Amino acid sequence: MKHYDQIIFVCTSNTLLSPLTEGIYRDRSPKWMPKGISRGLVVLFEEPINPKCNVLLTKNGYTISSHSQSRKLSKEDLTETTLILTMTLSEKVKLIEEFEHEDNVYTLGEYVGEDTDMTDPGGSEEEKYRECFDELVYRVDKLIRKLKELSIEE
């Protein structure tokens, strides 16, 4: 098993799905696990996290202190000990094409054994954000279980 020292959660703008996933992962994962950060593929200027995501995180006791503004994924982020998890297959393909890097790049669903992309609830009603949040908690829990199992195998 490859040892990862960092996980980068990637979505398009880094204002909704990836920072939400980062916040969930940081609060639920044991401290010995790889550090979790988030980045976007298309970040033209820094923006804050989607306000509805902040509300969801806060209402559920999560923090996202490290994510105050959106940040673009850079070539320097992509190391051989970094696991890169995109939210959709199209983001994975874009990342591989743009950075010519495919080592340790998966969709979150693919990595944890789910066959669907995450759906961005941007602009939807509260219920869609809640469903998305619950699905991310489920997938992050599967991610943590997988990382624990892989660390035992080392």
Side-chain angles (χ1 to χ4, degrees), residues 76-127:
E76 296 74 40
D77 289 326
L78 309 175
T79 70
E80 61 184 46
T81 58
T82 299
L83 174 61
I84 301 111
L85 300 175
T86 66
M87 300 296 116
T88 66
L89 179 59
S90 62
E91 290 163 347
K92 175 185 172 183
V93 169
K94 180 176 174 48
L95 187 153
I96 290 169
E97 288 174 351
E98 185 176 327
F99 292 95
E100 298 176 349
H101 180 95
E102 48 187 306
D103 293 344
N104 311 321
V105 178
Y106 306 90
T107 68
L108 175 59
E110 172 186 23
Y111 195 76
V112 301
E114 297 293 321
D115 63 356
T116 56
D117 288 349
M118 287 302 305
T119 302
D120 187 325
S124 299
E125 65 277 1
E126 299 286 331
E127 183 57 30

Side-chain angles (χ1 to χ4, degrees), residues 2 4-5 7 21 27 38 46 53 63 73 82-83 86-87 93 98 101 107 112 116 118 127 131 138 145-146:
K2 193 164 195 102
Y4 300 114
D5 59 12
I7 300 173
T21 309
D27 278 11
S38 64
E46 291 185 348
C53 292
T63 57
L73 184 69
T82 299
L83 174 61
T86 66
M87 300 296 116
V93 169
E98 185 176 327
H101 180 95
T107 68
V112 301
T116 56
M118 287 302 305
E127 183 57 30
E131 289 170 11
Y138 171 74
R145 279 195 305 276
K146 181 172 182 171

Side-chain angles (χ1 to χ4, degrees), residues 49 56 58 133:
I49 186 174
L56 271 173
T58 304
F133 180 82

